[in-house]
Amino acid sequence: MIRTPLRPLARILDARAQGMNPKGIERENLRLRREQARDAGRRRAEWRLLLLAALFFAGYAVIGARMGMLAATPVVESEPYAGEGISGERADVLDRNGRILATNLVTHSLYAEMRYMQDGRRAAHELARIFPDLDEEALARRLTDPDRRFYWIRSRVSPEQAQAAHDIGEPGLWLGPREMRLYPNGTLAAHVLGGTAYGQQGVTAAEIQGVAGLEYTADDRLSDPDLADVPLSLSLDLGVQSIVEEVLGSGIQMLHARAGSAIIMDAQTGEVVALASAPTFDPNDRPAPPTEGDPADSPLFNRAVQGLYELGSVMKAFAVAQALDLGLVTPQTMVNTRGPLRIGRFEINDFHDYGAQLSVEDVFVHSSNIGTAHLAQMIGPERQRDFLRQFGFLEALPIELPEARRALPQYPDRWTEVSAMTISYGHGLAVTPMHLAAAYAALVNGGTMVQPTLLRRPDTTPGPRVISPETSRIMRSLFRQVVTRGTASLGEVAGYGVGGKTGTADKPNPQGGYYDDRVVATFAGAFPMNDPRYVIIVTMDEPQETVGGVERRTAGWTVVPVAAEMVRRIAPVMGMRPQDPAVIDAELRLR
């Protein structure tokens, strides 16, 4: 570009010759130069705006064309991401007062994506520090395997472990959010809840399935997405359950027993307020089922609903109740108790020598095997079997636990006179403690059967009648006398009118016969006996009481004090006020 000089010499000289001011020439030239520059800038701006408008138009045209193409293309569903579509939702489980027994918690899974893995050996070394149970060498081989694309490391990790794995800084280690089942009370009510496991799994979700207990029975209800926000309410009382488990565990330890169980049941509705089996487990870390040996040795075994036992003298209540209900005897009827009682090659003896005869009342209170066997003779095998069938002793219980439905009572194929006599005092018929709880509820509640349940049941209809109200009233009096002057004298709890029956049964020997030094001890009763609200069943396997250097195995010395301690502690928790003992006994006095 050739620039015009601001002070051209020819024009300057000419202006001087004419007497003009040469500075005007310079100002004029400067004005013209500025106008030219302004015109050139305007032309450049116009071209730039035109170019930008063309670019914007072209861009929007491409976007519009692409949108039109997508709208005209048929819809093709893409392959879902691993875990997409798997529901991990599960409803909460609450006790009767709304306290949480089981709920879901958001956690993470840990897995490896090999395509992003930078240093598999370093990752394996760091992971082995976070998870000490991992085999570092085996993990390193998997994380450096060129043929492997994906590897599960942990299906569930804690928040602390997830953070530690993230801090490793390895791009190939991934964390996937998912839900897990949490039991915030640990071992409490473990045998009722059962537990869960993962079913179908993906990296971002996992299906939670019940494997035992109520989690299994109510699996469809709990995993229903439409009911995920509606909790399942149980009949259990968390406070009562805690006390029962604590006292039962302490009693087993103190009495050197192998195991035990306890049940607290509403005598009118059949609602189970507490159910404990020991030893127990933590459903948050449920152990694997045993593959060999005796299943009863596993902590997973629910002795309250799975354990089939010959329960001893607690069964005498049914022989006495049937004889009374049939009108064969009254409480004052005298029964032959002279022993031993020989039937063929069998011989029946009493724990003590009670003399030639006792009243029916004393046969029951002092627990005479011979006297009860004579009552069974009066009743007869056929009537006895039909009577026990009405109480549910010959079939599995329909309670909401899968384990209970597989526990079929054991009884003789041929119900002979000898069978009837031994069954009358608790040998020859093996049932679960839950069977006994339901049957005792009928004995004390006025004579109607109840169906045991672990679900909250506000409204109930009376079950079939099995004994008359008068027979039930007499049985309540007899149960109370067993505590006030009989074999369960250590079961008295001031103000709560406890009544019941003890049972000490020799354990069957797998080689034949019975052990001489191993027993199953049981206390079955209710409180307060003048107006029974709750049934209590406590059973222990091979207990021994050795205070004072004397070894005692009978229920009166072993399970009865444990049951009394349970009543003493749970009755106030249940809102029961102590009553005047004189009033209780006056209401129960036999006419």
Side-chain angles (χ1 to χ4, degrees), residues 277-547:
S277 176
T280 187
F281 64 96
D282 187 345
N284 291 301
D285 188 21
R286 182 180 169 87
T291 56
E292 58 184 20
D294 188 351
D297 294 334
S298 168
L300 298 177
F301 190 77
N302 188 343
R303 295 175 180 272
V305 300
Q306 282 181 277
L308 293 169
Y309 307 104
E310 294 180 346
L311 295 171
S313 295
V314 293
M315 297 299 294
K316 292 174 181 173
F318 302 98
V320 172
Q322 186 175 12
L324 291 168
D325 210 52
L326 291 173
L328 301 176
V329 296
T330 69
Q332 289 73 39
T333 301
M334 302 306 293
V335 180
N336 181 9
T337 55
R338 185 181 290 109
L341 174 60
R342 291 184 175 87
I343 303 293
R345 62 187 179 88
F346 298 99
E347 186 176 282
I348 299 173
N349 292 284
D350 277 334
F351 193 72
H352 297 290
D353 183 4
Y354 296 117
Q357 59 181 6
L358 288 175
S359 67
V360 170
E361 182 177 343
D362 286 337
V363 163
F364 186 73
V365 171
H366 297 297
S367 199
S368 169
N369 293 340
I370 297 173
T372 308
H374 280 301
L375 294 178
Q377 281 184 312
M378 297 180 195
I379 295 167
E382 292 296 328
R383 289 197 295 189
Q384 182 195 52
R385 182 173 57 189
D386 292 342
F387 187 72
L388 294 179
R389 179 179 286 110
Q390 292 181 61
F391 280 88
F393 281 125
L394 306 187
E395 57 190 18
L397 282 173
I399 194 171
E400 303 87 359
L401 292 176
E403 301 86 355
R405 297 170 186 177
R406 297 191 292 266
L408 297 174
Q410 299 172 359
Y411 51 88
D413 294 331
R414 295 181 61 250
W415 205 291
T416 63
E417 183 181 22
V418 174
S419 299
M421 295 170 74
T422 59
I423 288 172
S424 70
Y425 58 82
H427 284 82
L429 173 64
V431 296
T432 70
M434 186 61 75
H435 280 92
L436 192 65
Y440 261 61
L443 288 179
V444 302
N445 70 8
T448 58
M449 281 300 296
V450 299
Q451 181 176 322
T453 180
L454 289 161
L455 302 179
R456 191 78 172 91
R457 187 188 291 169
D459 301 319
T460 57
T461 56
R465 178 165 295 282
V466 287
I467 58 174
S468 68
E470 177 61 18
T471 300
S472 177
R473 187 190 68 80
I474 295 173
M475 291 307 300
R476 292 199 296 270
S477 176
L478 297 182
F479 283 136
R480 178 62 180 153
Q481 291 184 60
V482 172
V483 172
T484 57
R485 65 183 185 90
T487 57
S489 58
L490 296 179
E492 178 69 328
V493 179
Y496 291 107
V498 179
K501 186 73 185 73
T502 57
T504 306
D506 294 329
K507 289 187 66 175
N509 189 331
Q511 307 303 321
Y514 291 84
Y515 289 108
D516 294 328
D517 57 350
R518 301 183 187 181
V519 301
V520 174
T522 304
F523 176 76
F527 61 99
M529 196 52 75
N530 60 320
D531 182 19
R533 291 181 57 187
Y534 298 101
V535 169
I536 178 169
I537 308 291
V538 181
T539 299
M540 286 192 186
D541 189 355
E542 299 182 22
Q544 296 182 55
E545 197 274 328
T546 56
V547 175

